[in-house]
């Protein structure tokens, strides 16, 4: 049974990848005809290579009998191809670098699925993750470089690395391991605070310390986006692990208190909120970016201006945090909705993996990784459309940025590993 | 995993619901932005992406009544940059710097600003523009702006006014008609481009400005030139504090010319003292009109029938009103005379008598009707209203003195406007400066008609007054204003200047003449006013009347008013032989030439200079000699080289000088002033003529001035022709 399911699911994957390839080919043709760039043949070669890397991975998985979810790779391929198309359209130089990172990402995915398929072993090293995460966050404070107001990059000569992107994954691994071990203790609770039973600080401790340290560190780096992601992911995993809504409520209150505190403590936070409330008052300075983003979103209409026909260059940092605004301008509300649905499907497939996994670590990890993926997309899109105050976060697989891309591919690999085991342990059929 | 799985599944479902809710929220938000606020946001975006730079319109021209150009605007190109189109700012700045005579670094800063528009230099001379155009630099553009140009920059500057740096009217007609002259500014619209890439369909548009309207004035350039010429002569001859000449057409109230001294150059107004350009004495200067005001006393008296031209008056040389004696200007009085002779002689007691007969109410009704005490409403900024004693508070003495033009202050334009009413048959007109406003194509946008305000006299009464005024010119004090071939009506006036304390200042007069011609059908009504002439001659009949004759004669001939041959001529030019007081020649030895001239002029003496230099070495006649007023003193000038090396100087006579003047004289000779007391110098140590080493101090005793008000009666009511 696994074999036949496997065979069928891999063929679904192949078919979907071919659709994604056709999509990439169409986009490339549009840009080619539009006359972007100077060496169009290398562009075609690049597009072909990007597609080939995905299809090769697929064939490798088929050959090895890998049982991972067949929908995840095509969805990610769709996002990655869109990223390449839009970056090329915005500035070919970005596309070239992103192309290189995409190959590194796909290779990482291959490595994770090939070398660490037994993810259960990962649960044993949770304190190593905590330690590694703290060090990774500490490094930029001492020897990092500042970009776009956040001091969260390390200069490695050839390229910059943003450790906080990788720490996200480490945080999920640590929380999953810790919660799996202490789940029952934590969900019971043995002393009461404000009418809520809480577990003893000894049981909480390590987890809160890890979270606190990471939050403090990102505050030092002025990386509000990462802090928000960490906290939201933490709350989601605590909920999944303990089923105690009260914890989530308490956490949310803590978060609001922290947000209010930082509003009064930090000028840059206050400025963000002011811009969110009324960007027009600060149109020449801090409000310029969000205003331009809104202009781009508004000019898209239902079907967009068409690839290459809009003017998203007005938005500062359009290739990183604001790529969604560019996509909406040129692909319209229809295109924007399509990508929202793609992210929704990724989260949905991830949750299915979580539900189907037979061990607690795998289940929590899958839930955490999916939540992490969904939250990143949600927070930055909400920021770009001024639904929430803006915090700088990369849109997974779409934004320009190697660290984010590679970290998200590793995330994908871990998720696929869990789903591989679901498949082979026969715990449940996918998509029930 | 079964039980755990169920629990987890429920939790995952909750999370999935939350995710779905978030998805819907985002979808809603995007749809809201695009459909509910799309239009508004796109409009905002366009507004933000484009920048408007105003380009000022070409200011309208100003023409005289015959279409002669008085003020125009000439084009001057201004240079601006669109920084993102400047490909190599450093090179461009280096090329531009020597042409514009600007700092290359500063230029480069301008060219590299993160903006889409920067002015580089405004209103450049054509040669510079040509040079820059030849350089053919990218990202630099020209736009046409304008500078005010004056073909005759010293012609009627107070009336025309001038403009400021942004071509806005600051004074005169430029200020009053700024809105009409200014036009509508154009725009340069530039689309911002954050990246420097050409925006698809990028806008860089020039919306041309609409030129301002032109003014056509009532002024006549030629007549104004006559006026300026005569004013220059007055300044050369009398160096007065102020001089005003105004000509009007009495039939319409149109101002044909209006000139003032001191004056300024419209192109260089910034270098002139502010008090010279910020006020127009013709409409602002309040002065006691003296005898010229008798025209209105006479008009009221004849209209009200309190006297007739043939009525007899007796002038013993004075008249007593309340407890004061008002003297006639002629010693011993005019004796028995008809009213016509009273007018011809400008006899003070006669007019006081007539004024008293009229009574306060009737007198005030007439002078208010003639426009005194309120602005005329001329189209110029800063008009004064004149000063009338409050009717309720006016005493009989006030009435008496007002009848002869004292204790009342008028502006030149008021006096002339009122005289126009006599000239034109009794209707007071609003003085008018602007005839028409035309658009740049020459179409009339607005035209201003003569504006009668009210009837003041009946035509018969006006004629009667005009006839009497003709007698003044033909047989009386106004003979110097007679113009061959025309019947001229007019009246002289010589009033003492009222000092700050209220008393008259001795030796300071306002000489004036107002009149019109031809008397039967007046075409020109003119006022000549000279305030504080120097040189000993100060009578209206001698200072102002000849000027009136010159300027009105030229105007009448220019206007081609036919002359009537065979008219009566006055027997001889009017010269009033005042018992000439002998003047004591002041000591001016060792005075700097300027000071010496001033001292002599104030003493009523002339100066003839011999030799070269700056300081008076010798004077002839010597100080203290009694000579006739008007005699010229010969001044020998020292060789300055000799004097500066000389270590011993002669102490000058400082008698009569103020502290400031004394200090000025002494310091110019290298002597120190040690002053004691206040007022005028009354004594000094060492005595004049003493030889002292340079650097010594001269002790000078000052005593308060014996002003007439302090010493004798409060006011010495002496009216002169």
């Amino acid at each position: 049974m696994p074999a036949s399911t496997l065979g069928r699911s891999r063929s679904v994957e192949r078919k979907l990848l071919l659709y994604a390839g056709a999509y990439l080919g169409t986009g490339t043709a549009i840009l080619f005809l539009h006359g972007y760039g100077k060496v169009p043949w290398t562009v075609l070669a690049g597009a072909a290579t990007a597609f080939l890397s995905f299809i090769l991975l697929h064939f490798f998985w088929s050959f090895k009998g890998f049982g991972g979810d067949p929908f995840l790779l095509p969805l990610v391929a769709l996002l990655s191809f869109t990223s390449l198309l839009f970056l090329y359209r915005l500035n070919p130089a970005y596309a070239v670098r992103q192309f290189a990172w995409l190959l590194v990402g796909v290779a990482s995915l291959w490595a994770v699925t090939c070398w660490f398929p037994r993810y259960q072993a990962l649960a044993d090293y949770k304190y190593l993750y905590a330690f590694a995460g703290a060090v990774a966050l500490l490094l930029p404070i001492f020897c990092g470089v500042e970009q776009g107001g956040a001091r969260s990059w390390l200069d490695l000569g050839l390229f910059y690395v943003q450790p906080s992107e990788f720490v996200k994954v480490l945080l999920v691994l640590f929380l999953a391991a810790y919660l799996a071990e202490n789940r029952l203790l934590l969900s019971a609770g043995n002393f009461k605070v404000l009418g809520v039973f809480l577990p003893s600080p000894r049981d909480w401790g390590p987890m809160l310390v890890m979270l606190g340290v990471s939050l403090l560190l990102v505050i030092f780096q002025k990386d509000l986006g990462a802090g928000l992601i960490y906290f939201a992911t933490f709350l989601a995993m605590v909920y999944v692990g303990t089923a105690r809504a009260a914890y989530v409520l308490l956490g949310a209150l803590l978060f609001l208190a922290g947000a209010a505190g930082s509003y009064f403590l930090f000028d840059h936070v206050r400025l963000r909120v002011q811009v969110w409330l009324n960007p027009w008052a600060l149109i020449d300075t801090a409000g310029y970016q969000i205003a331009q983003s809104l202009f781009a979103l508004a000019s898209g209409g239902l079907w967009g201006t068409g690839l290459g026909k809009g003017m998203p260059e007005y938005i500062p940092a359009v290739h990183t945090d604001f790529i969604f605004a560019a996509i909406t301008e040129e692909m319209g509300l229809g295109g924007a909705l399509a990508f929202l649905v793609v992210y929704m499907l990724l989260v949905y497939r991830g949750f299915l993996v979580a539900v189907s996994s037979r061990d607690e670590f795998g289940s929590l990890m899958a839930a955490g990784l999916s939540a992490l993926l969904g939250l990143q997309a949600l927070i930055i899109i909400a920021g770009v459309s001024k639904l929430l105050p803006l915090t700088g976060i990369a849109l997974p697989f779409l934004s320009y940025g190697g660290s984010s891309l590679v970290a998200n591919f590793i995330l994908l690999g871990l998720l696929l590993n869990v789903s591989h085991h679901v498949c082979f342990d026969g715990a449940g059929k996918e998509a029930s | 995993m079964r039980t755990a799985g169920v629990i987890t599944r429920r939790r995952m479902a909750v999370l999935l619901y939350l995710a779905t809710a978030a998805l819907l929220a985002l979808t809603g938000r995007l749809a809201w932005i695009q459909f509910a606020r799309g239009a508004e946001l796109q409009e905002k975006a366009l507004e933000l992406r484009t920048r408007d730079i105003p380009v000022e319109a070409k200011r309208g021209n100003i023409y005289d009544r015959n279409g002669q150009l008085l003020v125009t605007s000439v084009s001057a190109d201004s240079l601006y940059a669109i920084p993102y189109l400047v490909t190599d700012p450093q090179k461009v700045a280096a090329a531009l710097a020597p042409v514009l005579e600007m700092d290359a670094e500063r230029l480069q800063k301008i060219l590299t600003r993160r903006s889409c528009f920067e002015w580089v230099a405004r209103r450049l001379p054509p040669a510079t523009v040509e040079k820059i155009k030849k350089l053919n630099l990218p990202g630099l553009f020209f736009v046409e702006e304008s500078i005010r140009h004056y073909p005759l920059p010293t012609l009627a500057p107070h009336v025309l006014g001038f403009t400021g740096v942004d071509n806005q009217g600051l004074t005169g007609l430029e200020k009053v008609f700024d809105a009409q002259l200014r036009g509508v500014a154009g725009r340069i619209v530039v689309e911002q481009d954050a990246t420097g890439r050409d925006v698809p369909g990028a806008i860089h548009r020039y919306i041309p400005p609409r030129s301002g309207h032109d003014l056509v004035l009532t002024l006549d350039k030629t007549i104004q030139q006559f006026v300026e010429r005569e004013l220059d002569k007055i300044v050369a001859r009398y160096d007065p504090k102020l001089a005003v000449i105004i000509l009007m057409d009495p039939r319409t109230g149109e101002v044909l010319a209006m000139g003032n001294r001191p004056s300024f150059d419209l192109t260089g107004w910034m270098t002139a003292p502010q008090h010279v350009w910020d006020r127009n004495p013709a409409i602002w200067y309040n002065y006691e009109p003296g005898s010229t005001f008798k025209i209105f006393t006479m008009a009221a008296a004849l209209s009200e029938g309190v006297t007739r031209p043939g009525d007899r008056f007796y002038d013993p040389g004075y008249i007593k009103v309340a407890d004061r004696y008002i003297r006639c200007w002629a010693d011993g009085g005019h004796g028995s005379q008809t009213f016509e002779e009273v007018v011809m002689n400008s006899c003070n007691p006669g007019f006081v008598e007539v004024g008293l007969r009229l009574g306060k109410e009737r007198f005030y009704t007439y002078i208010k009707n003639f426009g005194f005490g309120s602005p005329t409403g001329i189209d110029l900024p800063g008009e004064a209203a004149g000063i009338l004693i409050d009717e309720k508070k006016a005493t009989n003495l006030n009435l008496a003195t007002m009848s002869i033009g004292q204790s009342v202050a008028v502006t030149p334009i008021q006096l002339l406007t009122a005289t126009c009413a006599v000239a034109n048959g009794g209707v007071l007109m609003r003085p008018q400066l602007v005839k028409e406003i035309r658009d740049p194509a020459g179409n009339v946008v607005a035209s201003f008609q003569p504006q009668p305000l009210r009837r003041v006299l009946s035509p018969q009464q006006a004629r009667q007054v005009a006839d009497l005024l003709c007698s003044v010119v033909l047989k009386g004090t106004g003979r110097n204003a007679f113009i061959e071939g025309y019947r001229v009506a007019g009246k002289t006036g010589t009033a003492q200047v009222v000092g700050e304390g209220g008393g008259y200042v001795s030796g300071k007069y306002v000489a004036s003449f107002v009149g019109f011609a031809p008397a039967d059908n007046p075409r020109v009504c003119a006022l000549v006013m000279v305030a504080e002439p120097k040189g000993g001659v100060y009578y209206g009949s001698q200072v102002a009347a000849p000027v009136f004759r010159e300027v009105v004669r030229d105007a009448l001939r220019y206007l081609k008013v036919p002359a009537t041959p065979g008219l009566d001529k006055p027997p001889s030019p009017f010269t009033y032989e005042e018992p000439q007081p002998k003047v004591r020649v002041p000591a001016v030895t060792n005075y700097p030439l300027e000071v010496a001239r001033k001292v002599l002029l104030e003493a009523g003496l002339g100066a003839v200079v011999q030799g070269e230099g700056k300081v008076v070495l010798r004077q002839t006649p010597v100080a203290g000699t009694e000579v006739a007023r008007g005699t010229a003193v010969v001044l020998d000038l020292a060789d300055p080289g000799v004097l500066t090396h000389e270590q011993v100087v002669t102490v000058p006579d400082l008698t009569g000088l103020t502290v400031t003047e004394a200090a000025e004289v002494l310091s110019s000779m290298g002597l120190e002033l040690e002053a004691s007391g206040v007022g005028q110098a009354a004594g000094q140590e060492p005595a004049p003529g003493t030889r002292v080493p340079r650097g010594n101090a001269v002790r000078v005793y000052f005593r308060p001035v014996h002003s007439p008000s302090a010493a004798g009666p409060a006011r010495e009511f002496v009216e002169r022709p």
Side-chain angles (χ1 to χ4, degrees):
Chain A
M1 168 196 146
S4 65
T5 320
L6 191 65
R8 205 193 71 218
S9 65
R10 284 276 84 86
S11 71
V12 167
E13 187 176 69
R14 183 165 59 248
K15 205 162 139 195
L16 290 175
L17 273 177
L18 286 175
Y19 284 136
Y23 164 78
L24 175 64
T26 312
T28 312
I30 290 172
L31 291 180
F32 179 66
L33 294 173
H34 211 283
Y36 274 92
K38 282 163 191 159
V39 204
W41 297 111
T42 59
V43 172
L44 294 182
T49 312
F51 173 69
L52 268 179
S53 68
F54 277 89
I55 208 83
L56 277 175
L57 185 61
H58 159 77
F59 281 125
F60 171 77
W61 284 346
S62 300
F63 174 70
K64 291 282 271 188
F66 185 63
D69 186 285
F71 293 99
L72 291 174
L73 189 68
L75 288 171
V76 167
L78 192 70
L79 294 175
S80 305
F81 294 161
T82 308
S83 172
L84 285 181
L85 289 172
F86 269 88
L87 289 174
Y88 188 78
R89 174 251 172 283
L90 290 170
N91 185 345
Y94 292 142
V96 171
R97 295 188 75 113
Q98 185 79 346
F99 168 72
W101 283 115
L102 181 63
L103 294 187
V104 174
V106 174
S108 318
L109 178 58
W110 168 76
V112 171
T113 53
C114 176
W115 294 343
F116 309 105
R118 293 198 52 78
Y119 66 89
Q120 290 89 341
L122 294 174
D124 300 338
Y125 307 109
K126 56 179 176 290
Y127 292 106
L128 184 64
Y129 306 145
F131 178 73
V135 169
L137 287 179
L138 217 50
L139 276 176
I141 296 179
F142 296 108
C143 46
V145 282
E146 189 169 318
Q147 279 199 343
R151 190 183 176 82
S152 49
W153 275 268
L154 285 178
D155 186 356
L156 295 188
L158 264 180
F159 50 86
Y160 288 171
V161 165
Q162 196 177 6
S164 61
E165 292 288 348
F166 296 98
V167 175
K168 286 173 193 166
V169 180
L170 288 176
L171 181 76
V172 172
L173 284 177
F174 168 79
L175 285 173
Y178 192 87
L179 283 168
E181 195 176 86
N182 303 302
R183 194 171 65 87
L184 290 174
L185 273 173
L186 290 171
S187 40
N190 45 15
F191 79 108
K192 207 173 170 182
V193 174
L194 297 170
V196 177
F197 278 103
L198 289 180
S200 73
R202 205 184 46 204
D203 304 327
W204 274 107
M207 198 165 66
L208 282 183
V209 167
M210 162 70 180
L211 183 74
V213 168
S214 27
L215 283 181
L216 271 180
L217 292 174
V218 292
I219 284 171
F220 273 114
Q221 295 178 4
K222 290 195 196 169
D223 192 345
L224 300 171
L228 185 59
I229 290 288
Y230 292 175
F231 204 86
T233 309
F234 167 74
L235 288 184
M237 290 184 71
V238 166
Y239 173 71
V240 173
T242 64
R244 294 281 300 269
Y247 293 171
V248 178
L249 223 63
L250 203 67
L253 284 177
L254 268 176
F255 173 77
L256 286 178
S262 49
Y263 176 84
F264 289 109
L265 277 177
F266 304 114
D267 286 341
H268 62 281
V269 178
R270 207 156 38 239
L271 187 63
R272 287 283 170 88
V273 175
Q274 279 166 8
V275 166
W276 175 56
L277 292 173
N278 184 9
W280 312 113
L282 299 160
I283 188 81
D284 288 327
T285 53
Y288 184 76
Q289 192 178 33
I290 189 73
Q292 293 296 342
S293 169
L294 290 177
F295 294 155
L297 293 176
S299 62
L302 197 53
W303 302 116
T305 59
L307 185 57
K309 293 250 179 78
M311 293 190 287
E313 294 92 337
Y314 283 117
I315 314 169
V318 64
H319 58 290
T320 58
D321 300 350
F322 280 81
I323 194 148
F324 190 76
I327 292 173
T328 309
E329 177 171 359
E330 303 205 332
M331 299 181 98
L333 185 61
L337 277 183
F339 286 103
L340 286 176
V341 168
V342 167
Y343 282 111
M344 192 66 197
L345 286 174
L346 277 173
V347 171
Y348 172 68
R349 294 306 299 181
F351 282 1
L352 273 185
V353 173
V355 170
S356 322
S357 177
R358 81 181 188 102
D359 73 315
E360 292 184 30
F361 174 65
S363 184
L364 282 164
M365 185 167 78
L369 292 173
S370 312
L372 175 58
L373 195 66
L375 281 167
Q376 289 183 72
L378 168 70
I379 289 173
I380 186 60
I381 294 175
V384 163
S385 59
K386 207 173 79 71
L387 191 60
L388 293 176
L390 181 70
T391 48
I393 293 174
L395 186 57
F397 301 107
L398 275 175
S399 286
Y400 171 75
S403 302
S404 163
L405 192 64
V406 174
N408 281 317
F409 268 109
I410 292 171
L411 181 156
L412 180 68
L414 293 171
L415 199 56
L416 282 166
N417 278 349
V418 178
S419 103
H420 169 69
H421 282 276
V422 170
C423 171
F424 277 90
D425 298 347
K429 296 171 207 162
E430 25 108 15
S432 39
Chain B
M1 194 62 215
R2 302 282 169 266
T3 46
V6 173
I7 297 165
T8 310
R9 179 168 300 196
R10 218 194 68 208
R11 296 171 204 166
M12 297 315 296
V14 170
L15 283 190
L16 202 61
Y17 291 145
L18 285 174
T20 313
L23 178 82
L24 289 175
L26 286 178
T27 310
R29 174 68 185 163
L30 289 175
W32 169 260
I33 288 173
Q34 295 193 331
F35 301 116
R37 300 192 52 204
E40 173 206 343
L41 281 169
Q42 288 195 34
E43 202 169 288
K44 256 189 182 153
L46 190 69
E47 187 185 305
L48 200 69
R49 280 169 197 178
T50 56
R51 229 193 102 179
D52 266 8
I53 295 94
V55 178
E56 70 189 24
K58 192 171 175 207
R59 208 171 163 82
N61 294 338
I62 301 179
Y63 298 100
D64 86 337
R65 61 186 301 126
N66 303 314
Q68 297 274 320
L69 192 62
L70 299 180
V71 184
T72 185
S73 282
V74 291
S75 300
D77 283 334
S78 289
L79 180 68
Y80 67 92
I82 296 189
Y84 67 76
L85 294 180
V86 179
T87 38
D88 187 348
Q90 196 176 351
K91 225 174 84 188
V92 171
L96 215 50
V99 186
L100 291 174
E101 287 167 11
M102 271 169 84
D103 186 35
E105 231 168 84
R106 210 167 78 81
L107 269 172
Q108 196 182 334
K109 217 173 264 172
I110 293 172
L111 296 177
T112 49
R113 276 195 197 137
R114 279 180 62 97
S115 87
C116 59
F117 182 96
E118 289 294 331
W119 285 116
V120 181
R122 305 282 293 268
R123 301 193 188 98
L124 293 164
T128 314
V129 174
E130 276 315 301
K131 273 188 215 158
I132 297 171
K133 278 185 178 161
K134 273 198 196 113
L135 290 173
N136 202 16
L137 299 167
L140 292 175
F141 304 90
F142 284 101
V143 65
E144 190 183 315
E145 295 196 289
S146 63
I147 326 179
R148 228 44 183 145
H149 175 71
Y150 309 94
L152 292 164
T154 53
L155 193 82
H158 287 100
V159 179
L160 298 174
F162 48 82
T163 56
V165 275
D166 290 322
N167 262 358
Q168 79 281 26
L170 291 183
T171 62
L173 291 169
E174 292 268 25
K175 181 181 182 182
V176 175
F177 290 90
D178 191 44
Q180 288 85 350
L181 288 164
R182 197 195 297 132
V184 182
R187 291 182 296 158
I188 299 171
V189 181
V190 185
E191 186 156 358
Q192 299 230 28
D193 191 316
T195 59
R197 181 174 70 90
D198 275 341
V199 180
I203 316 168
H204 172 198
R205 254 185 322 142
Y206 174 62
I207 299 166
R210 261 188 293 141
S211 299
H213 291 323
D214 296 339
L215 292 189
V216 179
L217 304 187
T218 62
L219 289 191
D220 189 302
K221 182 177 149 193
T222 309
I223 297 177
Q224 181 73 34
Q225 279 172 320
F226 296 153
V227 164
E228 301 288 350
R229 179 196 71 201
E230 291 303 321
L231 284 167
D232 284 341
K233 282 202 232 164
I234 291 173
V235 171
R237 203 174 302 162
Y238 303 106
D239 185 26
K241 186 180 144 209
L242 281 177
V244 173
I245 301 179
I246 313 171
L247 271 78
M248 282 171 75
D249 183 334
R251 302 169 298 177
T252 54
E254 290 172 346
V255 177
L256 299 172
M258 179 185 276
N260 298 290
R261 287 296 178 275
S263 188
F264 61 99
D265 183 323
L266 282 167
T267 50
W269 63 270
M270 270 170 283
T271 58
Q274 183 178 350
H275 70 87
V276 170
W277 52 254
D278 75 346
R279 279 167 179 174
N280 181 353
I283 59 164
W284 161 82
Y285 182 60
N286 281 320
Y287 72 108
E288 281 201 2
S291 297
T292 49
F293 199 70
K294 288 174 183 163
I295 297 173
F296 313 105
T297 311
M298 162 190 356
L302 293 170
S303 302
E304 290 298 310
V306 299
T307 182
R308 285 185 307 268
D311 287 359
R312 293 207 78 81
F313 286 78
Y314 183 76
D315 168 26
Y318 62 87
I319 184 169
K320 192 179 175 200
V321 180
D323 55 348
R324 292 286 172 78
Y325 289 93
I326 299 176
R327 292 195 293 160
C328 190
W329 60 273
D331 286 335
H334 295 98
S336 174
Q337 53 189 344
T338 60
F339 184 66
E340 186 183 8
E341 284 164 335
V342 166
V343 173
M344 274 160 49
N345 295 330
S346 196
C347 173
N348 285 347
F351 273 100
V352 170
E353 164 96 44
V354 163
L356 291 175
R357 280 193 209 163
L358 266 173
K360 196 164 77 172
E361 285 76 23
R362 285 193 284 185
F363 183 77
Y364 265 89
T365 306
Y366 272 87
I367 60 173
K368 281 184 178 167
N369 270 346
F370 271 113
F372 296 106
S374 50
T376 61
I378 193 170
D379 295 323
L380 285 173
E383 195 190 354
I387 303 163
L388 285 185
I389 296 173
D390 186 358
E391 189 180 343
K392 290 188 198 93
K393 289 181 191 160
T395 62
N396 254 6
L397 180 64
N398 292 144
L399 178 60
T401 55
M402 283 166 77
S403 305
I404 56 172
Q406 296 182 352
S407 343
V408 58
V410 304
T411 63
I413 190 70
Q414 263 181 345
L415 191 81
L416 186 61
T417 308
T419 308
C420 281
V422 174
N424 69 16
V427 178
L428 187 75
M429 306 296 292
R430 192 176 80 95
Q432 190 186 346
L433 268 172
V434 180
K435 261 176 112 73
E436 274 171 9
I437 297 175
R438 294 186 188 160
D439 67 13
N443 304 312
V444 176
V445 177
S447 98
F448 301 97
Q449 300 306 318
Q451 209 178 321
L453 295 177
R454 57 185 162 267
R455 177 161 284 284
V456 186
L457 301 172
S458 74
Q460 296 79 15
Q461 291 155 355
R463 171 131 300 276
Q464 218 171 14
V465 177
D467 284 342
L468 287 176
L469 291 177
C470 282
S471 304
V472 172
V473 173
L474 196 62
K475 298 177 266 182
T477 53
R479 270 175 281 171
N480 288 346
F482 175 79
I483 301 168
E484 180 95 44
Y486 300 96
R487 276 190 81 209
V488 178
K491 184 78 196 73
T492 59
T494 312
Q496 273 182 288
V497 170
V498 178
E500 281 170 23
Y504 290 109
V505 181
S506 83
K508 291 189 174 174
Y509 300 91
V510 178
S512 58
F513 189 93
V514 64
F516 47 89
D520 310 304
N521 180 22
R523 293 288 304 277
V524 172
C525 190
L527 168 71
V528 177
M529 186 213 80
V530 182
E532 301 179 31
K534 298 197 185 95
V537 187
Y538 51 83
Y539 304 118
S541 57
Q542 281 168 310
V543 174
V547 177
F548 175 93
R549 179 186 62 219
E550 297 294 313
V551 74
V552 173
R553 183 191 59 211
D554 288 354
L556 289 173
R557 287 181 184 164
Y558 163 76
L559 292 173
K560 300 198 168 65
V561 178
T564 320
L567 283 178
D568 289 343
K569 284 181 204 170
S572 62
F574 180 83
T575 46
Y576 170 65
E577 288 302 326
E578 193 177 15
Q580 279 286 2
K582 292 283 183 182
V583 179
R584 201 171 64 97
V585 177
V588 292
T589 319
N590 280 335
Y591 279 34
L593 179 59
E594 313 293 303
V595 182
R597 270 185 197 281
K598 201 173 129 196
V599 169
L600 289 175
L601 204 57
E602 271 162 14
L605 295 168
V608 176
V609 179
Q610 284 185 353
E612 297 264 320
K614 288 181 179 157
V615 178
V616 177
L617 185 64
R618 216 175 298 117
Q619 70 178 84
T620 322
V622 292
T625 318
E626 296 261 313
V627 297
R629 193 188 272 268
T631 309
V633 177
V634 180
L635 303 176
D636 283 320
L637 297 185
D639 173 4
V642 175
L643 199 81
T644 42
H645 293 302
E646 210 176 331
Q647 287 313 303
V648 182
V649 292
T650 310
V651 177
D653 184 358
L654 301 166
T655 314
L657 299 187
T658 64
V659 179
T660 329
E661 286 166 343
E664 195 182 315
V665 169
L666 290 175
S667 77
S668 73
M669 301 173 59
L671 293 171
E672 305 271 326
L673 170 69
E674 233 176 75
S676 69
V678 290
Q680 291 185 348
Q684 66 183 83
E685 249 177 278
T690 319
R691 302 280 287 173
V692 297
R694 205 178 272 275
N696 266 24
V698 176
R699 179 171 262 301
V700 183
Y701 306 98
F702 293 92
R703 239 172 265 145
V705 192
H706 290 282
S707 71
S709 55
R715 283 184 169 198
E716 191 188 3
F717 298 113
V718 181
E719 181 52 22
R720 293 171 172 84

